[in-house]
Amino acid sequence: MKKIITLTLILTINFLGFSQEDEGTTRSNVQEFTPSKLLNKGQWDIKFFNSLYTQTKSTGEGTGESFDIDRQNFFTNTTEIYTGVSNNSRINVGLIVQVRANNYGGQSAFSVFDFDNNGTDSRSGFTTIAPSIRVQPFASVPNFSITSSLYLPIFKDEAVSAYLDKRSTFWETKFFYDKTFGGGDWQIFTEADFGFNFGESSTDAIESGDAVNIGERFANNSLFLPVSAFLSYFPSAKSTLFVNAQQAFLIDLGNEFEQNYTQLGFGGKYQLTQTLNLEASYGKIVRGNNFQGLGNTFSLGVRALF
């Protein structure tokens, strides 16, 4: 895992080095290439997004009342690679890979970066890989697009207490739309996701008698439906400040488990060069129910467009 982080830093430095030659455009990538905007044919978009979620509170079973718990930490690295493949810039294809590291039992938030894997109170490893496609269905609405991805679990199923990731085949379709206003200084961006979790239910896994991780099957046979909105302000051509809100629902489709939560956050983006962008954000889950954690998310992303 440490080698992955080192490789990410090396790639970032390389992108920064060669893209110094491309300065001087009038419209920055942070303004133009929102998730609603697709790539031109032959163009590439590579993003390394790192997210640390840490929690010391959770809600109880079937309720929104919160109580204190020992600190739990969840780190996710998501690498997304997309390229344009159509002459009309309305189809992109890509691949998503995720690496996770989790630990439990009151350790500090930064201890998750040790990438321990003892199976008891810490686990780490590659978890999912997802082929993905982006389309712009209406030529007359260039700021509306759809992304559909199929996440496949690639980590070993182990009968241990520690949770690593969902034991689900996850088909997710995202709908993006943005609107710029106020003379180009403001933008509203909206996103609606429909994610279907397929897989063996917790009950079936118990009845089968197989040695498996029951906790990683909590979302199987369910619909995940988050709806998000971002309000962005462009203080300069190369920078963005935003606030965001998200309401998410996990809807039971046969696993007899449901959740929902509300998250608020803020962040910013900055274009270092014509190729390289940085993004940092913070999110707080302010409410939820049915074993929903009430934690904080700290995120840092590096994006290269060329």
Side-chain angles (χ1 to χ4, degrees):
M1 298 307 111
K2 294 179 181 178
K3 291 180 180 179
I4 293 172
I5 293 179
T6 302
L7 178 60
T8 299
L9 293 175
I10 292 173
L11 289 174
T12 299
I13 293 171
N14 287 338
F15 280 129
L16 180 58
F18 88 75
S19 51
Q20 294 290 343
E21 303 174 356
D22 298 326
E23 297 283 6
T25 58
T26 57
R27 182 171 174 83
S28 69
N29 289 334
V30 296
Q31 291 178 313
E32 182 174 1
F33 284 97
T34 67
S36 305
K37 173 75 172 181
L38 268 65
L39 305 170
N40 300 321
K41 185 175 182 179
Q43 195 172 20
W44 288 85
D45 181 356
I46 301 176
K47 184 175 182 180
F48 303 96
F49 195 76
N50 302 286
S51 178
L52 173 61
Y53 172 76
T54 182
Q55 62 182 22
T56 57
K57 288 184 177 293
S58 179
T59 63
E61 181 178 3
T63 178
E65 296 183 7
S66 65
F67 57 90
D68 293 335
I69 60 174
D70 291 336
R71 182 176 296 277
Q72 300 176 347
N73 307 305
F74 304 85
F75 170 76
T76 303
N77 168 266
T78 302
T79 300
E80 299 182 357
I81 303 173
Y82 285 93
T83 186
V85 295
S86 63
N87 291 325
N88 59 9
S89 303
R90 293 176 58 190
I91 302 177
N92 296 171
V93 296
L95 185 70
I96 303 170
V97 179
Q98 290 186 319
V99 176
R100 295 182 186 268
N102 309 333
N103 64 21
Y104 308 83
Q107 303 181 62
S108 72
F110 294 106
S111 64
V112 76
F113 296 112
D114 292 336
F115 292 97
D116 288 337
N117 198 14
N118 61 25
T120 303
D121 59 12
S122 63
R123 292 184 70 189
S124 64
F126 285 94
T127 60
T128 55
I129 186 170
S132 183
I133 184 170
R134 291 174 172 171
V135 297
Q136 183 191 93
F138 309 112
S140 60
V141 190
N143 51 347
F144 173 73
S145 68
I146 302 172
T147 298
S148 190
S149 309
L150 184 64
Y151 290 81
L152 306 171
I154 58 174
F155 61 102
K156 184 179 179 181
D157 194 2
E158 298 184 68
V160 296
S161 57
Y163 169 89
L164 180 58
D165 200 354
K166 294 183 299 182
R167 177 61 57 178
S168 306
T169 297
F170 183 54
W171 178 30
E172 182 181 45
T173 301
K174 300 181 177 182
F175 299 84
F176 301 115
Y177 178 78
D178 66 68
K179 177 69 174 179
T180 302
F181 60 98
D185 291 336
W186 295 86
Q187 184 181 81
I188 184 72
F189 169 77
T190 57
E191 175 183 341
D193 301 358
F194 292 85
F196 295 90
N197 294 283
F198 302 97
E200 181 184 40
S201 69
S202 299
T203 301
D204 291 340
I206 293 173
E207 292 177 350
S208 70
D210 296 333
V212 296
N213 189 315
I214 302 302
E216 292 174 344
R217 288 163 165 77
F218 78 97
N220 289 1
N221 301 317
S222 66
L223 168 66
F224 183 53
L225 179 60
V227 180
S228 308
F230 294 75
L231 177 63
S232 297
Y233 171 66
F234 302 109
S236 71
K238 294 185 177 182
S239 58
T240 306
L241 299 175
F242 63 84
V243 293
N244 64 285
Q246 181 185 76
Q247 177 63 45
F249 302 91
L250 184 68
I251 301 172
D252 173 34
L253 296 179
N255 205 20
E256 299 182 358
F257 182 79
E258 293 189 340
Q259 280 181 324
N260 71 78
Y261 67 82
T262 305
Q263 181 172 222
L264 303 177
F266 62 88
K269 301 178 182 180
Y270 185 76
Q271 180 163 319
L272 291 175
T273 70
Q274 186 178 351
T275 298
L276 194 66
N277 305 334
L278 295 180
E279 176 181 349
S281 62
Y282 167 78
K284 168 66 176 176
I285 297 180
V286 296
R287 58 153 303 279
N289 76 342
N290 204 16
F291 300 116
Q292 174 61 55
L294 302 175
N296 307 278
T297 301
F298 304 87
S299 301
L300 180 64
V302 181
R303 185 185 189 190
L305 283 158
F306 58 95

